[in-house]
Amino acid sequence: MSERRTISRIRPNAMALRALAHPQRLRMLGLLRIEGPATATSLAGRLGLNSGATSYHLRQLARHGFIEEDEGRGNGRDRWWRARHESTTFLEDDSDEDALDAGIAFAQAALNAQIALMQRALERHIELPPEWRKASTISDFNIPLTAGQAEALVEKLHAVLWEAMETAPQLGAAREAGMETVTILLHAFPRAPEEF
């Protein structure tokens, strides 16, 4: 088992969550977290944007504490940016109506990005080597539970996933041959009675 490391997290306020809910900002932060530091020009090329718009979105992400300038790279003309945290936590305290509304708006943007990510994964599934097809899944489980039981189950699943993340190499860092970034999406919710 690898040595455990601490996963850096951010718990943004409502204003920061609203800023992050922009689809391009969400994608930029994801790329900086997964692939490591980048310039506005390289991110613009990856995302099909102009560098002016990309620079604006990067400044907004920095303003709200999601990213920072990577001072050890580049020069005066070539600014590099890096993610400040590996994870964003939200919707943990729903006592504040504004925070709840902002959390829902961010969750909607994140869900849209996750759906697109799953669609692309499914489209390339047939191209994967057999070992990666076997290691991939699209699953759902419907289990009768009380709210307390559901919360306990989600906490157990999170504990397993946090442990896996804590013992894995940091995103964007060197890794052993054959190791890929694996995305695991976890959604848990009470099913509406009218759904079939």
Side-chain angles (χ1 to χ4, degrees):
M1 184 179 215
S2 300
E3 185 177 317
R4 289 179 85 138
R5 62 185 181 82
T6 301
I7 305 299
S8 55
R9 302 180 199 187
I10 184 172
R11 181 174 291 137
N13 63 25
M15 183 183 292
L17 270 180
R18 283 190 183 89
L20 185 58
H22 189 286
Q24 297 300 349
R25 291 181 197 150
L26 196 56
R27 289 179 67 199
M28 286 177 199
L29 179 59
L31 285 172
L32 292 173
R33 283 181 174 172
I34 293 169
E35 297 179 1
T39 64
T41 302
S42 65
L43 287 171
R46 288 282 314 272
L47 300 172
L49 301 173
N50 68 56
S51 58
T54 303
S55 292
Y56 171 77
H57 290 308
L58 289 169
R59 287 192 305 274
Q60 292 303 307
L61 289 170
R63 177 178 172 223
H64 293 288
F66 295 106
I67 66 171
E68 63 190 1
E69 192 171 344
D70 189 347
E71 309 237 351
R73 296 176 191 251
N75 53 42
R77 279 193 66 198
D78 205 18
R79 292 174 71 185
W80 285 74
W81 297 93
R82 67 178 173 209
R84 292 187 62 199
H85 313 89
E86 292 179 74
S87 177
T88 303
T89 303
F90 68 103
L91 289 181
E92 291 190 334
D93 179 14
D94 64 0
S95 60
D96 177 3
E97 188 84 19
D98 189 41
L100 181 60
D101 287 345
I104 296 296
F106 170 72
Q108 183 64 56
L111 180 61
N112 290 340
Q114 291 170 353
I115 291 167
L117 186 65
M118 280 302 308
Q119 186 62 48
R120 287 190 306 274
L122 188 57
E123 289 166 0
R124 68 181 278 258
H125 185 78
I126 197 160
E127 300 166 8
L128 293 175
E131 64 270 17
W132 278 109
R133 285 197 302 267
K134 186 176 179 184
S136 301
T137 186
I138 296 176
S139 304
D140 64 4
F141 299 85
N142 293 284
I143 309 167
L145 299 168
T146 65
Q149 291 169 328
E151 182 180 5
L153 178 58
V154 168
E155 286 176 3
K156 284 180 189 177
L157 295 170
H158 277 160
V160 168
L161 295 170
W162 283 119
E163 179 182 353
M165 197 168 175
E166 290 166 355
T167 58
Q170 187 167 352
L171 291 169
R175 56 183 81 164
E176 64 186 65
M179 188 176 276
E180 299 287 343
T181 300
V182 174
T183 298
I184 298 170
L185 305 174
L186 177 61
H187 300 179
F189 52 89
R191 191 175 182 100
E194 66 276 7
E195 293 173 345
F196 57 93

